[in-house]
Amino acid sequence: MRIAAFVLCFIWLVNGELLEADQDASVPEDWVLVERAAPLEEVELTFALKQQNINQMKELLKLVSDPESHQYGKYLSLEEVADLVQPSQLTEKVVQSWLQGHGVKNCHTVLTRDFLQCAMTVQVAEALLPVGGVHRFPPKGKDISKGWEGARPSRSCHLGVTPSVIRSRYNLTAKDVGTASNNSQAVAQFLEQYYHPADLAEFMTLFAGAFTHMSAVERVVGTQGGGKAGIEASLDVEYIMSSGANISTWVFTNPGRHESQEPFLQWMLLLSNMSAVPWVHTISYGDDEDSLSDAYMNRINIEFMKAGLRGISMLFASGDSGAGCRHLTKERNTFRPSFPASSPYVTTVGGTSFKNPFKVTYEVTDYISGGGFSNVFAMPDYQVGAVQAYLKNVQPLPPQTYFSITGRAYPDLAALSDNYWVVTNRIPVPWVSGTSASTPVVGGILSLINDQRFLKGLPSLGFINPRLYKLQGKGLFDVTEGCHLSCLDDKVEGKGFCASPSWDPVTGWGTPNYPVFLKALMD
């Protein structure tokens, strides 16, 4: 049996000599376990080689994502991205020599050549990386990362959000479905979460009769696990395919936490090896920012930049813990941002609920909606004006000891996240809630906009944040009521940030008003 341990071993060269990985960055303590594997057991390690032209890539991403740039929408192919970032020949040669010197010969790379996956015994792995904890591997039953699962029971009495409710609230008509042949969208599922085709078909029969739709996923990338369907995976597929109706949909699936140290990395490696992938990806996955190393998150950000350069939109759920809470000492707490929601290179989706739980009314904050400020990543230029306006105009704010006023602020926009109907294991289930519901809804709506753009010969939306912030809320319903939860202590008393006019760190710029949003994004 081979265990796949995704140890992000960062390879550097100094004067042509190999400098071993930053061991703290390679294997954060939260990813490893206390069980020791047998010395002759075979494992597969993934090494991240130092890429070239990172600053050039950042600048190029700004240009292709800025509607005021003459390079807007002029995306790169995967091969062109590879030419830009692939490691130097010297780096590859020295790393290969280092591995072969330890008897490691069974290796393969990706098209971008910046990851190297190698099979070896545990004994050899320990010799290669003696410091970073590589001798410890993922245990059965340990949650290495968190999915923002949609199975949170609701306390309210709403009759239920269905595709017809979504379409009514966001002004989607029966004609607002996909027709472009070159359009596609995707969800990714992790942590033993799998959808069942029969559930999807039944969901569409029950809830999608009023509009043209597809009742089957076009392509599954990876291996679908057996057993019961997961409510998270069911939710993601059913709502991206009913919001982004009649659009080809893929599911990227990782077969489980036992086969990798970080299933999220496996998904990114798939993207780095596929020249043609869907244009919109939604992911209901996250982890506490402080549980991951900075080096790991920075490397993941480079993967997001690579996707943006290809014209791919990456949407992540903002999380279901409000501002979060980290207990530093008995007397001191801080808010706890999540990643990848806090990445400057993804679009993060928060959550709302109806003001009147019995009617399709205007929306207010869902108290669980994740949001706040990164403690690791600086505030990107595209959002400085909006965020500074919030910090200046909204009072009172939580104490500044609880958050970083200079960090990347999120979410960027939002959608309903409360009281969804889902079909899972052939049973219609009510009261499913979380930003893992709002994220595929927004993803589907962006896919519909891509559809209209493709029909007019325009490129995909790609990394939408720079354009989204230039719109300053145009095409979105502003959410101005409600606060989300945070630390239960005497300083903030469980209250995090609050919604306000324009952008806020609870619901972003607000929720989609489809026809207006579409018009604003059609040039």
Side-chain angles (χ1 to χ4, degrees), residues 93-350:
K93 181 179 179 180
V94 173
V95 171
Q96 291 282 6
S97 297
W98 174 59
L99 291 169
Q100 290 173 9
H102 287 79
V104 178
K105 298 180 180 179
N106 185 9
C107 295
H108 59 277
T109 187
V110 293
L111 287 176
T112 49
R113 304 192 67 83
D114 47 358
F115 287 102
L116 196 62
Q117 294 175 290
C118 302
M120 67 195 74
T121 65
V122 169
Q123 189 174 35
V124 171
E126 290 177 356
L128 278 173
L129 304 170
V131 181
V134 73
H135 57 283
R136 296 174 292 176
F137 295 95
K140 292 183 179 180
K142 176 176 172 61
D143 287 329
I144 297 177
S145 55
K146 290 187 291 188
W148 302 124
E149 301 218 357
R152 179 177 60 87
S154 174
R155 297 188 181 93
S156 69
C157 51
H158 193 279
L159 298 179
V161 172
T162 63
S164 63
V165 172
I166 292 290
R167 287 181 161 262
S168 174
R169 170 57 186 157
Y170 298 140
N171 291 324
L172 291 157
T173 70
K175 294 181 180 180
D176 292 317
V177 298
T179 58
S181 61
N182 59 335
N183 198 9
S184 55
Q185 58 191 2
V187 298
Q189 55 191 28
F190 305 101
L191 303 177
E192 293 103 33
Q193 284 279 332
Y194 309 109
Y195 90 101
H196 280 185
D199 291 338
L200 174 61
E202 183 164 342
F203 177 86
M204 292 300 184
T205 299
L206 290 173
F207 298 117
F211 52 89
T212 303
H213 61 271
M214 295 182 181
S215 295
V217 166
E218 179 171 302
R219 181 175 178 184
V220 175
V221 181
T223 304
Q224 273 273 102
K228 291 185 177 180
I231 200 166
E232 173 67 53
S234 303
L235 173 70
D236 290 346
V237 173
E238 289 165 8
Y239 278 91
I240 196 171
M241 290 187 67
S242 55
S243 297
N246 208 43
I247 293 173
S248 169
T249 302
W250 296 19
V251 172
F252 285 81
T253 181
N254 186 288
R257 70 193 79 184
H258 303 146
E259 298 204 10
S260 71
Q261 211 141 304
E262 181 52 78
F264 188 50
L265 177 60
Q266 176 72 8
W267 169 65
M268 291 189 303
L269 291 175
L270 286 172
L271 295 184
S272 286
N273 244 358
M274 302 177 71
S275 295
V277 294
W279 298 108
V280 173
H281 295 249
T282 75
I283 300 94
S284 302
Y285 162 95
D287 216 335
D288 295 326
E289 197 179 66
D290 57 82
S291 71
L292 303 170
S293 76
D294 290 1
Y296 168 75
M297 291 186 286
N298 283 323
R299 183 58 184 249
I300 301 303
N301 279 340
I302 293 174
E303 300 308 305
F304 294 147
M305 284 190 277
K306 286 160 62 177
L309 284 175
R310 297 171 64 187
I312 299 168
S313 301
M314 293 283 181
L315 278 67
F316 280 82
S318 69
D320 297 341
S321 302
C325 188
R326 185 183 184 192
H327 306 289
L328 299 178
T329 67
K330 288 184 178 180
E331 290 77 29
R332 187 185 172 206
N333 297 324
T334 63
F335 293 159
R336 196 169 204 175
S338 68
F339 181 84
S342 65
S343 169
Y345 304 106
V346 304
T347 300
T348 305
V349 182

Side-chain angles (χ1 to χ4, degrees), residues 17-41:
E17 296 294 327
L18 181 70
L19 180 66
E20 286 197 15
D22 176 348
Q23 299 296 336
D24 176 63
S26 303
V27 191
E29 188 61 25
D30 283 0
W31 299 359
V32 295
L33 84 163
V34 295
E35 254 172 56
R36 187 182 180 89
L40 297 181
E41 189 165 12

Side-chain angles (χ1 to χ4, degrees), residues 59 62 344 378-387 465-466 469-470:
E59 292 305 312
K62 289 181 182 179
M379 190 181 300
D381 292 343
Y382 61 74
Q383 69 170 185
V384 168
V387 178
N465 287 17
Y469 281 79
K470 285 182 185 292

Side-chain angles (χ1 to χ4, degrees), residues 48-121:
L49 278 64
K50 188 179 189 305
Q51 296 148 315
Q52 299 188 97
N53 304 315
I54 300 304
N55 290 333
Q56 182 181 343
M57 183 167 60
K58 290 179 182 178
E59 292 305 312
L60 188 55
L61 180 61
K62 289 181 182 179
L63 293 175
V64 300
S65 306
D66 183 353
E68 297 178 4
S69 165
H70 70 280
Q71 288 184 251
Y72 177 68
K74 296 180 179 179
Y75 302 124
L76 305 186
S77 67
L78 176 59
E79 291 73 20
E80 289 171 327
V81 172
D83 289 341
L84 184 65
V85 305
Q86 68 181 32
S88 67
Q89 291 182 353
L90 179 60
T91 294
E92 291 192 69
K93 181 179 179 180
V94 173
V95 171
Q96 291 282 6
S97 297
W98 174 59
L99 291 169
Q100 290 173 9
H102 287 79
V104 178
K105 298 180 180 179
N106 185 9
C107 295
H108 59 277
T109 187
V110 293
L111 287 176
T112 49
R113 304 192 67 83
D114 47 358
F115 287 102
L116 196 62
Q117 294 175 290
C118 302
M120 67 195 74
T121 65

